[in-house]
Each structure stands twice: as C-alpha cells, then as structure tokens.
Amino acid sequence: MIRLLQRLDDSKPSPHIAGNAAQPTSPELRSITLLADADESASQAIEDWARGLDWVQWLFSSVRQRMIHLHFKPAPTGEVIKLRLAWENFAHGKLTEIHAPHLLTAWQTLQTGGITSLIEIDHAFSSTLDEEQSARSLEAGRLLLKSTRGARYQGPLRHYRRACEATETPGHFLTVWAAVGHFFQLSATNVIAEYLRLEWALGTRHLPDQPRLHQLPELTARLMQGRAEALRVVA
C-alpha cells in the first residue's frame, strides 16, 4: 500500500490580529493521515513518516556543509551516551522554551501573509540569543535563503527575502525556515520534524557512526502539543 501524508495547511486560516506578533491565531487544521501497511503497527508507520523528506535534506545541504552546528551544541566527545544526554537537556530546555515556539509562531504568522508581524517576531528572537548563537543563526539563515533564491512565485518568502536584503529584519534561520516551509506548503509538523533532524545531523556529524535520532515522532508530537495538528494512522 502506498503511504500517504495528507496536507493539513489547506484549511481556512483564522484572522491575524495586527500588533500581536507573539501570539498569532492558529489556523484551523486537519490531522495528518498516514496509511499504514496491513502488517504495520501505528508506531512503525509514524517512524517511516519521520525518516524525512529527501528534498528538504537537499535544501539544507549548504547549511550542513558550512555550519559546524546550529542551536544544539554538544560537547566534542565520541561518547554517544553523553551526546544523548546533551540532546535531552537541549530538547527539554531551549528547544521547548525558545526555538520550537518561535518556529511555530513564525509558521502560523505566514498563514495569513503577515510579513510585518514576521519581521517583528524575527527581531524579538534576537533577544533570546547571545552573540555567538546569533551569528550562527544568521549565517544559517543566509545560506538557506541563498539556496532558495531561484524558486519562482515565492509570495511571502519573496517579501521576507527583500526585507532581509534591505536589513529591515535579521534573517534568523528558524524564521527563514518557517518562510521556506510555508512556501513549499509544508505542515507545521513537518517543519518541526525536519528542523529537529537537521539539529541532530549537525550535532552528531563528528561521530564515526552517526546514531539515529530516536523518538523523533514523540518529540515532534510533544512540541506540537496544544497546536491544531495531530498524527492519525489508518491501517
């Protein structure tokens, strides 16, 4: 059976309230529907879905090639246990408190084409980063914008790109990725999952045998808690 990932961001968005950039109204979204094989469990179907979108990995190729790491900065050690502990601390700390909320807020803002609000969100995110973190975020954002420059009919992404070029907005990676994900019609769930995959790939690149990111579906679901999206598996 062919596995199908149902788009969830086609429904009518709720009105965006001007001046409330930090908390745009969530669109009314359907659930993601995954079709599982007859002999496949729900957890296996979700794991298959979580393996990623190959073309998104291509989009991130310049970031992976030129960045040592992004927001997740593990200690330079080959011990997988320590790396996973560092990841757990990141996942339950800054990822949950700062990075994922910013990414989801930016993505939701773009559902209404709120470029002015997106710029406000982008500036506000700067205050959560120190100088080193900000430099990495801006460089990764620049690389991702460069890799999508040739795309046609960019809509809000084009307006945001122009704001970055005119130095009207910083161009942090997570804001750029929200704009790029919106342009490619990715759901918020996919935007979060692919960002997590990138952080893990960068954070484990120094290991001879790159370990898998276990429990990606569970972590994605936790970060999406309270949002209007859900995974639903149909056998």
Side-chain angles (χ1 to χ4, degrees):
M1 181 183 292
I2 298 176
R3 293 184 179 86
L4 172 66
L5 178 62
Q6 180 181 334
R7 281 275 319 285
L8 23 149
D9 49 345
D10 287 330
S11 57
K12 184 179 179 181
S14 301
H16 179 69
I17 302 175
N20 189 19
Q23 297 181 345
T25 305
S26 299
E28 295 177 2
L29 302 175
R30 298 185 300 273
S31 62
I32 292 178
T33 300
L34 302 177
L35 298 185
D37 290 332
D39 59 348
E40 189 175 36
S41 68
S43 61
Q44 288 173 328
I46 294 174
E47 180 68 21
D48 287 342
W49 164 81
R51 286 176 184 167
L53 305 170
D54 290 341
W55 62 269
V56 172
Q57 300 308 302
W58 175 83
L59 273 180
F60 286 161
S61 60
S62 60
V63 176
R64 291 199 312 272
Q65 290 167 7
R66 300 189 185 187
M67 302 293 298
I68 297 176
H69 57 84
L70 195 49
H71 297 299
F72 172 52
K73 184 181 180 181
T77 173
E79 297 182 43
V80 177
I81 294 179
K82 289 185 177 180
L83 182 139
R84 290 197 182 280
L85 179 59
W87 175 262
E88 285 297 315
N89 291 335
F90 170 71
H92 288 88
K94 291 186 176 180
L95 175 64
T96 299
E97 298 166 1
I98 299 173
H99 306 315
H102 170 75
L103 179 55
L104 289 169
T105 298
W107 184 89
Q108 289 174 349
T109 298
L110 281 154
Q111 305 313 299
T112 60
I115 297 301
T116 299
S117 295
L118 185 68
I119 291 173
E120 294 175 5
I121 291 169
D122 204 20
H123 279 290
F125 186 61
S126 296
S127 65
T128 68
L129 307 174
D130 62 28
E131 186 175 348
E132 179 187 355
Q133 294 166 346
S134 183
R136 290 197 307 269
S137 176
L138 295 174
E139 175 62 9
R142 183 190 68 81
L143 291 170
L144 183 55
L145 273 179
K146 183 178 180 181
S147 69
T148 57
R149 183 178 295 278
R152 302 178 64 187
Y153 311 118
Q154 295 194 17
L157 176 59
R158 175 171 59 89
H159 296 299
Y160 176 68
R161 182 192 304 279
R162 288 179 174 175
C164 290
E165 292 171 347
T167 67
E168 296 171 359
T169 192
H172 287 293
F173 173 79
L174 291 176
T175 318
V176 175
W177 173 227
V180 171
H182 173 266
F183 168 67
F184 283 107
Q185 299 182 336
L186 294 179
S187 71
T189 304
N190 282 120
V191 167
I192 283 287
E194 295 302 325
Y195 163 61
L196 295 176
R197 204 184 319 279
L198 175 65
E199 287 279 20
W200 180 257
L202 291 174
T204 60
R205 67 190 313 166
H206 63 287
L207 299 178
D209 297 314
Q210 191 176 65
R212 289 183 58 192
L213 174 54
H214 297 307
Q215 299 182 329
L216 176 60
E218 291 82 356
L219 178 55
T220 303
R222 180 172 67 78
L223 295 173
M224 291 296 300
Q225 229 171 14
R227 306 283 170 167
E229 288 186 18
L231 290 173
R232 183 166 64 94
V233 179
V234 178

